[in-house]
Amino acid sequence: MPRTVPADHPAFAALLVTHVALAAGARAAVHVAGQLSSRRLPVVCIPGYQRNMSDFTAFAAYFRRVGGGDWPVVLLDLPGRGRADDRKKAGDYGSQVDAADLASVMAALGISRAIILGQGHGGQVAMTLAARHPLLIAGTVLLDSGPVTDSRGIVRLRSNLAHVEALRGAKVVTAGFRRILGGDYPGLPDDRLDALMGRSHFLDRRGRARPLYDTRLIEALASINFDDVLTAQWPMFDALTCAPLMLLRTQLTDQLRRETFDEMTRRRPDAVALTIAGQGSPALFDQREEIEAVAEFVLHTNARALGRAA
């Protein structure tokens, strides 16, 4: 049965999209905030593994006001996520294909260079793009992303999703999400936790949680165990030397270990590094401090790349 997304889903209410056809036949979903311009490097936001563009809603709304306003921010759902099409074959999912699709979307939008903001898997897509097409990268922001993925986070994600998607009844499902999300966002009120639930799932008429992603993405993680040591991809990280780099890590993330983050900063002492306190993955990205830090990085990178201020 084809995956469906309700047309009136609240998480997408402010995010009108167009679809971009890709080589394999699937379409990506794209939302452009602000005005694309040769004078301003667009910020292209790539969400986490099974996540979608709604994770960047608050960021895009705030960020477009920097630099005099209307700064171009591109939000993207790659195939299998959000309002993009699913891929035909489960084996077609992966960072290599996602990076190729990202390059295609940029070409379709007339973007020759951009600052890529990648969260989780989105950062791995950015690293892959830098290795394949370094000239497309004017700067990179990695958020809870690096060359080593924490297997504990993958197992927890898989288990949590299996739990909440097996629940029945709107009240039971909502309570289940609140218990899980409350650990990643301590002190966040219930209405905010419920909004977070809406970024990844919707409730159907029978009160069941329906995912806003292709479930084959999660099935691909079935072989990973809690104590697995996943292969490090440091050469991919090193490909980011092609441009300025900003490194962000949420304090409570289970996707990127602290020791990996520290090694990333050691290898790139020129990178801007920041820890976002009191939250896990995905980052809420709704606080002035971290958004203004990203804005400062973008403005500096823009001036350096284009030789002028915005």
Side-chain angles (χ1 to χ4, degrees):
M1 179 184 230
R3 183 172 60 88
T4 60
V5 177
D8 59 349
H9 188 57
F12 297 141
L15 302 173
L16 298 178
V17 296
T18 58
H19 288 91
V20 175
L22 303 169
R27 300 174 305 161
V30 181
H31 172 82
V32 179
Q35 183 67 43
L36 292 172
S37 164
S38 61
R39 297 183 65 251
R40 293 176 168 181
L41 292 168
V43 180
V44 180
C45 301
I46 312 299
Y49 182 66
Q50 88 289 2
R51 310 290 305 183
N52 60 70
M53 67 174 68
S54 64
D55 283 337
F56 295 105
T57 302
F59 171 81
Y62 186 100
F63 191 89
R64 64 177 297 183
R65 298 195 293 269
V66 308
D70 223 23
W71 197 282
V73 180
V74 178
L75 307 186
L76 178 60
D77 285 344
L78 290 166
R81 294 91 168 174
R83 289 168 289 178
D85 296 337
D86 292 347
R87 298 197 187 280
K88 292 181 180 179
K89 300 178 181 178
D92 291 341
Y93 287 112
S95 58
Q96 299 284 340
V97 180
D98 285 342
D101 288 345
L102 172 56
S104 296
V105 170
M106 290 174 64
L109 296 176
I111 297 172
S112 59
R113 297 184 78 194
I115 296 171
I116 310 297
L117 194 170
Q119 181 159 214
H121 173 77
Q124 295 173 349
V125 174
M127 288 185 275
T128 305
L129 185 70
R132 287 184 163 192
H133 304 287
L135 295 181
L136 293 178
I137 306 287
T140 311
V141 180
L142 297 184
L143 172 55
D144 287 341
S145 181
V148 185
T149 302
D150 192 340
S151 60
R152 297 173 299 180
I154 294 175
V155 173
R156 179 173 176 261
L157 170 68
R158 189 180 66 211
S159 299
N160 284 344
L161 292 176
H163 171 70
V164 293
E165 290 172 11
L167 298 175
R168 303 288 189 276
K171 290 184 178 180
V172 174
V173 171
T174 299
F177 270 102
R178 287 176 180 175
R179 281 193 298 271
I180 290 170
L181 294 171
D184 293 325
Y185 311 95
L188 204 67
D190 285 348
D191 62 328
R192 296 284 306 281
L193 295 176
D194 295 347
L196 279 171
M197 176 184 73
R199 294 185 187 180
S200 62
H201 292 75
F202 67 93
L203 292 175
D204 67 15
R205 293 181 179 179
R206 294 184 294 171
R208 297 185 60 179
R210 296 298 183 185
L212 296 169
Y213 54 83
D214 186 346
T215 56
R216 294 178 298 173
L217 286 164
I218 305 305
E219 292 168 5
L221 307 177
S223 64
I224 297 175
N225 296 311
F226 188 83
D227 57 354
D228 283 350
V229 178
L230 304 181
T231 303
Q233 301 292 329
W234 287 109
M236 299 296 289
F237 177 76
D238 293 339
L240 296 175
T241 56
C242 65
L245 177 64
M246 184 175 195
L247 301 172
L248 302 175
R249 180 181 182 271
T250 55
Q251 182 183 12
L252 304 180
T253 184
D254 59 6
Q255 294 187 9
L256 179 66
R257 295 194 184 197
R258 181 74 210 193
E259 55 264 33
T260 303
F261 185 75
D262 289 343
E263 176 62 13
M264 292 161 65
T265 60
R266 188 193 70 79
R267 287 178 178 239
R268 285 294 300 270
D270 61 309
V272 179
L274 177 69
T275 296
I276 302 174
Q279 57 184 271
S281 301
L284 297 176
F285 237 156
D286 61 352
Q287 297 300 306
R288 181 175 179 178
E289 179 182 0
E290 59 255 26
I291 296 177
E292 288 191 346
V294 175
E296 182 178 354
F297 173 81
V298 169
L299 291 171
H300 177 77
T301 301
N302 189 81
R304 173 178 169 176
L306 303 182
R308 58 179 179 248

